[in-house]
Amino acid sequence: MKNYDEDYDDYASIGYGAKIGEYVRIGKYVAIGDSAEIGDDVRIDSSARIGDNARIGKCVEIGDYAKIGDGVRFGDKFRCEGLEVIDFFTMSNVDGTGRRIYIYVHTKGITVRAGCFIGTLDEFCMQAEDEGKYLYSRTVRAAAEAFAAEIQRQGKTGGWDK
């Protein structure tokens, strides 16, 4: 990795002590925080923000306007919400409120975060149905179960099999 302590081309800003791997593509107006580490073969699109001390593994793509907070680490054996995450995705506005929900497939099953709620897929669906949100419950369940099945079909492990 290379050490960068000054601005990068195309109006990107690289923080003090940041380390950038080989073959990294950094878009215009990207801001990478102090002491962040970016692995090899990473693409960071325009206007993305990477926080201080964040660690991004190799072969990662970060989209336009993405915001990655301080101290974040992506790569094998990704942990989030106390889970050993294999893969995750988000959905927005499923219930018409604009709220974003997070669905994590992890080594022990499926977990959903929606606002202040965090729990298993079954717990989420039970609570949604108790609130009369049947379409919300069924939509989230179908998406989460299809996603988990595809992860299994692809043999993804998130590095947790090592």
Side-chain angles (χ1 to χ4, degrees):
M1 290 192 158
K2 302 171 187 171
N3 287 307
Y4 287 93
D5 295 326
E6 56 192 36
D7 286 347
Y8 194 78
D9 293 338
D10 292 328
Y11 312 104
S13 173
I14 309 297
Y16 179 81
K19 296 179 181 178
I20 310 296
E22 299 287 326
Y23 310 108
V24 173
R25 183 179 144 242
I26 299 173
K28 289 185 179 185
Y29 308 109
V30 167
I32 297 175
D34 294 341
S35 301
E37 295 182 17
I38 310 298
D40 295 339
D41 298 306
V42 170
R43 186 183 88 210
I44 305 172
D45 290 339
S46 297
S47 300
R49 302 283 182 258
I50 311 295
D52 294 341
N53 301 304
R55 293 167 66 183
I56 310 296
K58 64 182 182 177
C59 301
V60 173
E61 295 181 16
I62 299 172
D64 292 335
Y65 303 99
K67 293 180 182 176
I68 311 285
D70 294 345
V72 168
R73 179 180 181 158
F74 288 100
D76 276 351
K77 297 188 176 181
F78 171 57
R79 290 181 191 270
C80 186
E81 306 278 8
L83 306 168
E84 295 176 345
V85 177
I86 298 169
D87 207 345
F88 73 99
F89 77 103
T90 66
M91 297 170 62
S92 295
N93 204 35
V94 178
D95 66 349
T97 65
R99 178 180 11 192
R100 175 173 298 204
I101 66 171
Y102 301 81
I103 299 173
Y104 301 97
V105 175
H106 53 91
T107 56
K108 295 182 178 165
I110 300 171
T111 294
V112 178
R113 169 171 288 286
C116 61
F117 173 88
I118 185 162
T120 67
L121 178 60
D122 288 337
E123 291 167 340
F124 172 83
C125 292
M126 189 178 341
Q127 182 170 327
E129 290 175 14
D130 285 347
E131 295 172 7
K133 298 178 178 178
Y134 300 103
L135 180 60
Y136 187 38
S137 170
R138 290 186 180 118
T139 301
V140 172
R141 179 177 296 282
E145 288 176 346
F147 184 63
E150 181 59 16
I151 287 169
Q152 184 176 18
R153 187 193 68 75
Q154 291 179 17
K156 288 183 175 180
T157 66
W160 294 108
D161 61 333
K162 297 175 186 172

PDB file of all heavy atoms in Angstrom, residues 63-85:
ATOM      1  N   GLY A  63     -20.317   2.805  -4.472  1.00  0.00           N
ATOM      2  CA  GLY A  63     -21.064   3.605  -5.438  1.00  0.00           C
ATOM      3  C   GLY A  63     -21.029   5.097  -5.181  1.00  0.00           C
ATOM      4  O   GLY A  63     -20.534   5.574  -4.163  1.00  0.00           O
ATOM      5  N   ASP A  64     -21.574   5.834  -6.152  1.00  0.00           N
ATOM      6  CA  ASP A  64     -21.683   7.287  -6.058  1.00  0.00           C
ATOM      7  C   ASP A  64     -22.391   7.685  -4.765  1.00  0.00           C
ATOM      8  O   ASP A  64     -23.388   7.075  -4.382  1.00  0.00           O
ATOM      9  CB  ASP A  64     -22.492   7.856  -7.235  1.00  0.00           C
ATOM     10  CG  ASP A  64     -21.770   7.725  -8.570  1.00  0.00           C
ATOM     11  OD1 ASP A  64     -20.527   7.650  -8.585  1.00  0.00           O
ATOM     12  OD2 ASP A  64     -22.462   7.706  -9.599  1.00  0.00           O
ATOM     13  N   TYR A  65     -21.872   8.704  -4.122  1.00  0.00           N
ATOM     14  CA  TYR A  65     -22.472   9.329  -2.932  1.00  0.00           C
ATOM     15  C   TYR A  65     -22.584   8.409  -1.727  1.00  0.00           C
ATOM     16  O   TYR A  65     -23.255   8.747  -0.753  1.00  0.00           O
ATOM     17  CB  TYR A  65     -23.848   9.924  -3.250  1.00  0.00           C
ATOM     18  CG  TYR A  65     -23.797  10.939  -4.367  1.00  0.00           C
ATOM     19  CD1 TYR A  65     -24.153  10.580  -5.668  1.00  0.00           C
ATOM     20  CD2 TYR A  65     -23.360  12.234  -4.143  1.00  0.00           C
ATOM     21  CE1 TYR A  65     -24.088  11.498  -6.711  1.00  0.00           C
ATOM     22  CE2 TYR A  65     -23.286  13.157  -5.177  1.00  0.00           C
ATOM     23  CZ  TYR A  65     -23.656  12.779  -6.453  1.00  0.00           C
ATOM     24  OH  TYR A  65     -23.579  13.676  -7.480  1.00  0.00           O
ATOM     25  N   ALA A  66     -21.922   7.253  -1.764  1.00  0.00           N
ATOM     26  CA  ALA A  66     -21.948   6.355  -0.603  1.00  0.00           C
ATOM     27  C   ALA A  66     -21.245   7.032   0.562  1.00  0.00           C
ATOM     28  O   ALA A  66     -20.306   7.802   0.376  1.00  0.00           O
ATOM     29  CB  ALA A  66     -21.255   5.039  -0.947  1.00  0.00           C
ATOM     30  N   LYS A  67     -21.716   6.732   1.768  1.00  0.00           N
ATOM     31  CA  LYS A  67     -21.080   7.255   2.970  1.00  0.00           C
ATOM     32  C   LYS A  67     -20.720   6.077   3.853  1.00  0.00           C
ATOM     33  O   LYS A  67     -21.599   5.349   4.299  1.00  0.00           O
ATOM     34  CB  LYS A  67     -22.008   8.213   3.708  1.00  0.00           C
ATOM     35  CG  LYS A  67     -22.267   9.480   2.928  1.00  0.00           C
ATOM     36  CD  LYS A  67     -23.189  10.413   3.690  1.00  0.00           C
ATOM     37  CE  LYS A  67     -23.455  11.644   2.834  1.00  0.00           C
ATOM     38  NZ  LYS A  67     -24.413  12.549   3.461  1.00  0.00           N
ATOM     39  N   ILE A  68     -19.435   5.902   4.089  1.00  0.00           N
ATOM     40  CA  ILE A  68     -18.925   4.836   4.930  1.00  0.00           C
ATOM     41  C   ILE A  68     -18.365   5.511   6.182  1.00  0.00           C
ATOM     42  O   ILE A  68     -17.451   6.311   6.094  1.00  0.00           O
ATOM     43  CB  ILE A  68     -17.801   4.034   4.225  1.00  0.00           C
ATOM     44  CG1 ILE A  68     -18.199   3.613   2.812  1.00  0.00           C
ATOM     45  CG2 ILE A  68     -17.346   2.885   5.090  1.00  0.00           C
ATOM     46  CD1 ILE A  68     -19.171   2.500   2.706  1.00  0.00           C
ATOM     47  N   GLY A  69     -18.898   5.201   7.334  1.00  0.00           N
ATOM     48  CA  GLY A  69     -18.540   5.896   8.571  1.00  0.00           C
ATOM     49  C   GLY A  69     -17.150   5.584   9.091  1.00  0.00           C
ATOM     50  O   GLY A  69     -16.442   4.712   8.581  1.00  0.00           O
ATOM     51  N   ASP A  70     -16.771   6.324  10.125  1.00  0.00           N
ATOM     52  CA  ASP A  70     -15.468   6.148  10.759  1.00  0.00           C
ATOM     53  C   ASP A  70     -15.320   4.723  11.281  1.00  0.00           C
ATOM     54  O   ASP A  70     -16.248   4.153  11.853  1.00  0.00           O
ATOM     55  CB  ASP A  70     -15.300   7.116  11.930  1.00  0.00           C
ATOM     56  CG  ASP A  70     -15.250   8.574  11.497  1.00  0.00           C
ATOM     57  OD1 ASP A  70     -15.062   8.828  10.294  1.00  0.00           O
ATOM     58  OD2 ASP A  70     -15.383   9.444  12.375  1.00  0.00           O
ATOM     59  N   GLY A  71     -14.152   4.156  11.095  1.00  0.00           N
ATOM     60  CA  GLY A  71     -13.814   2.865  11.663  1.00  0.00           C
ATOM     61  C   GLY A  71     -14.460   1.661  11.012  1.00  0.00           C
ATOM     62  O   GLY A  71     -14.332   0.554  11.510  1.00  0.00           O
ATOM     63  N   VAL A  72     -15.140   1.834   9.876  1.00  0.00           N
ATOM     64  CA  VAL A  72     -15.800   0.716   9.208  1.00  0.00           C
ATOM     65  C   VAL A  72     -14.756  -0.202   8.570  1.00  0.00           C
ATOM     66  O   VAL A  72     -13.726   0.237   8.097  1.00  0.00           O
ATOM     67  CB  VAL A  72     -16.772   1.231   8.128  1.00  0.00           C
ATOM     68  CG1 VAL A  72     -17.254   0.118   7.227  1.00  0.00           C
ATOM     69  CG2 VAL A  72     -17.942   1.910   8.780  1.00  0.00           C
ATOM     70  N   ARG A  73     -15.065  -1.495   8.557  1.00  0.00           N
ATOM     71  CA  ARG A  73     -14.175  -2.464   7.926  1.00  0.00           C
ATOM     72  C   ARG A  73     -15.023  -3.421   7.103  1.00  0.00           C
ATOM     73  O   ARG A  73     -15.961  -4.034   7.610  1.00  0.00           O
ATOM     74  CB  ARG A  73     -13.409  -3.239   8.984  1.00  0.00           C
ATOM     75  CG  ARG A  73     -12.502  -4.268   8.392  1.00  0.00           C
ATOM     76  CD  ARG A  73     -11.761  -5.007   9.463  1.00  0.00           C
ATOM     77  NE  ARG A  73     -10.900  -5.968   8.814  1.00  0.00           N
ATOM     78  CZ  ARG A  73      -9.846  -6.495   9.359  1.00  0.00           C
ATOM     79  NH1 ARG A  73      -9.513  -6.187  10.568  1.00  0.00           N
ATOM     80  NH2 ARG A  73      -9.130  -7.364   8.698  1.00  0.00           N
ATOM     81  N   PHE A  74     -14.681  -3.539   5.820  1.00  0.00           N
ATOM     82  CA  PHE A  74     -15.361  -4.494   4.944  1.00  0.00           C
ATOM     83  C   PHE A  74     -14.350  -5.529   4.456  1.00  0.00           C
ATOM     84  O   PHE A  74     -13.194  -5.231   4.287  1.00  0.00           O
ATOM     85  CB  PHE A  74     -15.941  -3.792   3.705  1.00  0.00           C
ATOM     86  CG  PHE A  74     -17.130  -2.940   4.016  1.00  0.00           C
ATOM     87  CD1 PHE A  74     -16.993  -1.583   4.157  1.00  0.00           C
ATOM     88  CD2 PHE A  74     -18.377  -3.502   4.168  1.00  0.00           C
ATOM     89  CE1 PHE A  74     -18.077  -0.783   4.446  1.00  0.00           C
ATOM     90  CE2 PHE A  74     -19.473  -2.720   4.447  1.00  0.00           C
ATOM     91  CZ  PHE A  74     -19.329  -1.358   4.596  1.00  0.00           C
ATOM     92  N   GLY A  75     -14.812  -6.712   4.173  1.00  0.00           N
ATOM     93  CA  GLY A  75     -13.963  -7.781   3.672  1.00  0.00           C
ATOM     94  C   GLY A  75     -14.439  -9.088   4.256  1.00  0.00           C
ATOM     95  O   GLY A  75     -15.542  -9.187   4.804  1.00  0.00           O
ATOM     96  N   ASP A  76     -13.615 -10.125   4.176  1.00  0.00           N
ATOM     97  CA  ASP A  76     -13.969 -11.409   4.771  1.00  0.00           C
ATOM     98  C   ASP A  76     -14.236 -11.228   6.251  1.00  0.00           C
ATOM     99  O   ASP A  76     -13.643 -10.376   6.920  1.00  0.00           O
ATOM    100  CB  ASP A  76     -12.840 -12.418   4.580  1.00  0.00           C
ATOM    101  CG  ASP A  76     -12.907 -13.099   3.227  1.00  0.00           C
ATOM    102  OD1 ASP A  76     -13.904 -12.922   2.505  1.00  0.00           O
ATOM    103  OD2 ASP A  76     -11.955 -13.814   2.894  1.00  0.00           O
ATOM    104  N   LYS A  77     -15.137 -12.029   6.763  1.00  0.00           N
ATOM    105  CA  LYS A  77     -15.500 -12.038   8.166  1.00  0.00           C
ATOM    106  C   LYS A  77     -16.035 -10.690   8.631  1.00  0.00           C
ATOM    107  O   LYS A  77     -15.691 -10.184   9.686  1.00  0.00           O
ATOM    108  CB  LYS A  77     -14.330 -12.520   9.020  1.00  0.00           C
ATOM    109  CG  LYS A  77     -13.948 -13.954   8.690  1.00  0.00           C
ATOM    110  CD  LYS A  77     -12.950 -14.509   9.642  1.00  0.00           C
ATOM    111  CE  LYS A  77     -12.697 -15.974   9.287  1.00  0.00           C
ATOM    112  NZ  LYS A  77     -11.736 -16.573  10.204  1.00  0.00           N
ATOM    113  N   PHE A  78     -16.932 -10.128   7.831  1.00  0.00           N
ATOM    114  CA  PHE A  78     -17.586  -8.857   8.135  1.00  0.00           C
ATOM    115  C   PHE A  78     -18.557  -9.063   9.286  1.00  0.00           C
ATOM    116  O   PHE A  78     -19.381  -9.968   9.260  1.00  0.00           O
ATOM    117  CB  PHE A  78     -18.313  -8.367   6.871  1.00  0.00           C
ATOM    118  CG  PHE A  78     -19.207  -7.185   7.071  1.00  0.00           C
ATOM    119  CD1 PHE A  78     -18.724  -6.002   7.583  1.00  0.00           C
ATOM    120  CD2 PHE A  78     -20.544  -7.257   6.715  1.00  0.00           C
ATOM    121  CE1 PHE A  78     -19.554  -4.903   7.741  1.00  0.00           C
ATOM    122  CE2 PHE A  78     -21.384  -6.163   6.866  1.00  0.00           C
ATOM    123  CZ  PHE A  78     -20.884  -4.984   7.391  1.00  0.00           C
ATOM    124  N   ARG A  79     -18.456  -8.217  10.295  1.00  0.00           N
ATOM    125  CA  ARG A  79     -19.358  -8.258  11.443  1.00  0.00           C
ATOM    126  C   ARG A  79     -20.184  -6.978  11.476  1.00  0.00           C
ATOM    127  O   ARG A  79     -19.654  -5.899  11.272  1.00  0.00           O
ATOM    128  CB  ARG A  79     -18.586  -8.353  12.747  1.00  0.00           C
ATOM    129  CG  ARG A  79     -17.916  -9.659  12.977  1.00  0.00           C
ATOM    130  CD  ARG A  79     -17.196  -9.643  14.334  1.00  0.00           C
ATOM    131  NE  ARG A  79     -16.344 -10.781  14.484  1.00  0.00           N
ATOM    132  CZ  ARG A  79     -16.730 -11.938  15.010  1.00  0.00           C
ATOM    133  NH1 ARG A  79     -17.962 -12.078  15.441  1.00  0.00           N
ATOM    134  NH2 ARG A  79     -15.896 -12.948  15.101  1.00  0.00           N
ATOM    135  N   CYS A  80     -21.455  -7.123  11.754  1.00  0.00           N
ATOM    136  CA  CYS A  80     -22.336  -5.974  11.875  1.00  0.00           C
ATOM    137  C   CYS A  80     -23.472  -6.368  12.808  1.00  0.00           C
ATOM    138  O   CYS A  80     -23.948  -7.505  12.746  1.00  0.00           O
ATOM    139  CB  CYS A  80     -22.872  -5.581  10.502  1.00  0.00           C
ATOM    140  SG  CYS A  80     -23.838  -4.078  10.500  1.00  0.00           S
ATOM    141  N   GLU A  81     -23.894  -5.476  13.661  1.00  0.00           N
ATOM    142  CA  GLU A  81     -24.988  -5.737  14.607  1.00  0.00           C
ATOM    143  C   GLU A  81     -24.677  -6.955  15.481  1.00  0.00           C
ATOM    144  O   GLU A  81     -25.582  -7.651  15.936  1.00  0.00           O
ATOM    145  CB  GLU A  81     -26.322  -5.969  13.876  1.00  0.00           C
ATOM    146  CG  GLU A  81     -26.719  -4.884  12.915  1.00  0.00           C
ATOM    147  CD  GLU A  81     -27.385  -3.686  13.588  1.00  0.00           C
ATOM    148  OE1 GLU A  81     -27.412  -3.616  14.828  1.00  0.00           O
ATOM    149  OE2 GLU A  81     -27.875  -2.829  12.844  1.00  0.00           O
ATOM    150  N   GLY A  82     -23.384  -7.244  15.700  1.00  0.00           N
ATOM    151  CA  GLY A  82     -22.985  -8.395  16.500  1.00  0.00           C
ATOM    152  C   GLY A  82     -23.102  -9.721  15.775  1.00  0.00           C
ATOM    153  O   GLY A  82     -22.999 -10.784  16.391  1.00  0.00           O
ATOM    154  N   LEU A  83     -23.305  -9.689  14.457  1.00  0.00           N
ATOM    155  CA  LEU A  83     -23.520 -10.891  13.655  1.00  0.00           C
ATOM    156  C   LEU A  83     -22.304 -11.199  12.796  1.00  0.00           C
ATOM    157  O   LEU A  83     -21.604 -10.293  12.354  1.00  0.00           O
ATOM    158  CB  LEU A  83     -24.728 -10.680  12.731  1.00  0.00           C
ATOM    159  CG  LEU A  83     -26.026 -10.246  13.395  1.00  0.00           C
ATOM    160  CD1 LEU A  83     -27.028  -9.796  12.340  1.00  0.00           C
ATOM    161  CD2 LEU A  83     -26.582 -11.369  14.248  1.00  0.00           C
ATOM    162  N   GLU A  84     -22.093 -12.465  12.531  1.00  0.00           N
ATOM    163  CA  GLU A  84     -21.082 -12.894  11.562  1.00  0.00           C
ATOM    164  C   GLU A  84     -21.760 -12.906  10.195  1.00  0.00           C
ATOM    165  O   GLU A  84     -22.355 -13.892   9.786  1.00  0.00           O
ATOM    166  CB  GLU A  84     -20.536 -14.269  11.933  1.00  0.00           C
ATOM    167  CG  GLU A  84     -19.778 -14.265  13.239  1.00  0.00           C
ATOM    168  CD  GLU A  84     -19.310 -15.632  13.681  1.00  0.00           C
ATOM    169  OE1 GLU A  84     -19.792 -16.664  13.148  1.00  0.00           O
ATOM    170  OE2 GLU A  84     -18.445 -15.685  14.569  1.00  0.00           O
ATOM    171  N   VAL A  85     -21.678 -11.782   9.500  1.00  0.00           N
ATOM    172  CA  VAL A  85     -22.443 -11.552   8.281  1.00  0.00           C
ATOM    173  C   VAL A  85     -21.816 -12.274   7.088  1.00  0.00           C
ATOM    174  O   VAL A  85     -20.619 -12.168   6.850  1.00  0.00           O
ATOM    175  CB  VAL A  85     -22.560 -10.036   7.994  1.00  0.00           C
ATOM    176  CG1 VAL A  85     -23.301  -9.785   6.683  1.00  0.00           C
ATOM    177  CG2 VAL A  85     -23.245  -9.327   9.150  1.00  0.00           C
TER     178      VAL A  85
END
